[in-house]
Amino acid sequence: MTEVDEVTVTGQRVREAVNNFLDEVTDPPRGRGPARWSDSVCVGAVNLRRESGQYVVDRVSEVALDLGLDIGEPGCSPNILVLATEDGPGLARALVSERPYAFRPGYAGASQSRASLQRFQSTERPVRWWHVSLPVDADTGVAAVSMPGEGPAMVSVQGSLLRTEIRNDLTRAFIIVDFVRAEGVSLEQLADYVAMVAFAQVDPEARTLAFDTILNLFEDEAAPPRMTDWDMAYLRSLYSAELNQRSSSAQRGAIASSMSRDRERAEPQAETDDE
């Protein structure tokens, strides 16, 4: 009886921590569930020394493979673009000015708000990121929203009050690294941080110091040297959970359930390793 009670308490504690983490970091566009990459990704790095750029590309690609994604062939057009600069705000403003529709395409569910885009341009953070996503028919991959210059979306009418045939696919990620503000972190840490925000719609304002995560890189002098087991549990759960619930909160709940099971299985092993 005592053992059952201990397991129950542990499970509750883990699930609470997972829920708190997801409350902080999950940041899809309003009215949409979490998006993820569904096809191959192509990672590109600009304005980094050759060796450093290749390391970042290889590391992000390695995480992609771990999540079950394909990697584009050499010469592919990057849909995850990492840009290094000594002036993060300046580069962000220039990119948005030159290609506004690349950041906020004219269809529903594509990205965060105009106010968020303004913060993306003005923040002083060492790393800033911007995701673009597309709601699609889960069976056909066809856009499930009206696209600019095209007619109404043609999607299959299925699902139920609780289930949907629409999924949210990531289509583009811009990640700007201000190497002046990022001074002092290792390339390994930086590459893993970039990978974390490349594969999940992470809230830039997330408060994560209570969790063992690479997201603390610029907030905690004792930040981990690389992506943690907690981080990978989150990403793997995001990419393995069945996200066919109509409610975005239920989709997040599916990710939380998967991540909680992962962490509950890991705890006994960690205790054994410590003995």
Side-chain angles (χ1 to χ4, degrees):
M1 185 67 179
T2 301
E3 292 183 359
V4 172
D5 287 342
E6 289 177 354
V7 171
T8 301
V9 170
T10 298
Q12 291 174 343
R13 179 172 57 80
V14 169
R15 184 57 185 260
E16 181 180 7
V18 167
N19 283 335
N20 290 341
F21 181 73
L22 265 63
D23 285 345
E24 284 292 333
V25 303
T26 308
D27 193 35
R30 182 182 296 274
R32 295 290 174 182
R36 56 195 179 189
W37 301 96
S38 64
D39 297 317
S40 65
V41 297
C42 178
V43 187
V46 177
N47 203 30
L48 283 167
R49 292 177 180 173
R50 181 180 180 85
E51 296 79 5
S52 299
Q54 192 61 56
Y55 180 89
V56 171
V57 169
D58 289 347
R59 178 56 181 147
V60 176
S61 299
E62 179 184 359
V63 174
L65 291 172
D66 197 6
L67 297 176
L69 299 169
D70 294 326
I71 303 299
E73 297 293 330
C76 59
S77 179
N79 50 16
I80 297 177
L81 185 58
V82 183
L83 304 105
T85 178
E86 61 182 10
D87 180 10
L91 178 58
R93 285 191 293 267
L95 289 174
V96 174
S97 176
E98 292 172 5
R99 302 181 60 193
Y101 291 105
F103 288 84
R104 295 197 78 239
Y107 59 82
S111 65
Q112 292 290 354
S113 66
R114 293 183 184 278
S116 296
L117 186 58
Q118 183 58 45
R119 288 191 292 272
F120 167 78
Q121 296 172 79
S122 61
T123 182
E124 298 295 325
R125 295 179 181 277
V127 180
R128 70 196 68 210
W129 55 90
W130 187 263
H131 295 98
V132 177
S133 57
L134 177 65
V136 302
D137 185 304
D139 291 329
T140 65
V142 173
V145 292
S146 297
M147 304 296 286
E150 301 181 9
M154 302 297 291
V155 297
S156 58
V157 182
Q158 298 182 29
S160 67
L161 292 176
L162 298 178
R163 304 293 176 181
T164 179
E165 295 300 315
I166 307 302
R167 72 169 190 249
N168 296 289
D169 286 357
L170 289 174
T171 60
R172 193 178 306 131
F174 297 96
I175 302 170
I176 298 177
V177 178
D178 190 320
F179 54 76
V180 174
R181 292 178 172 87
E183 185 178 5
V185 304
S186 72
L187 184 60
E188 180 181 20
Q189 288 176 308
L190 183 61
D192 275 33
Y193 187 96
V194 166
M196 186 71 174
V197 301
F199 293 108
Q201 295 161 304
V202 174
D203 185 348
E205 304 296 329
R207 295 168 295 182
T208 58
L209 288 175
F211 309 97
D212 183 25
T213 171
I214 192 65
L215 294 174
N216 294 328
L217 180 57
F218 301 106
E219 303 295 332
D220 185 359
E221 293 183 356
R226 63 188 64 84
M227 200 177 291
T228 66
D229 291 343
W230 180 271
D231 292 325
M232 287 308 303
Y234 170 59
L235 291 180
R236 288 173 183 150
S237 296
L238 170 62
Y239 279 80
S240 64
E242 187 174 2
L243 301 184
N244 64 349
Q245 303 84 356
R246 188 170 295 278
S247 163
S248 58
S249 61
Q251 292 181 23
R252 188 174 64 177
I255 298 170
S257 295
S258 176
M259 185 175 175
S260 295
R261 289 192 295 270
D262 179 285
R263 294 295 82 205
E264 287 165 12
R265 288 193 299 267
E267 280 206 345
Q269 181 60 49
E271 292 172 2
T272 300
D273 294 342
D274 290 340
E275 292 178 355

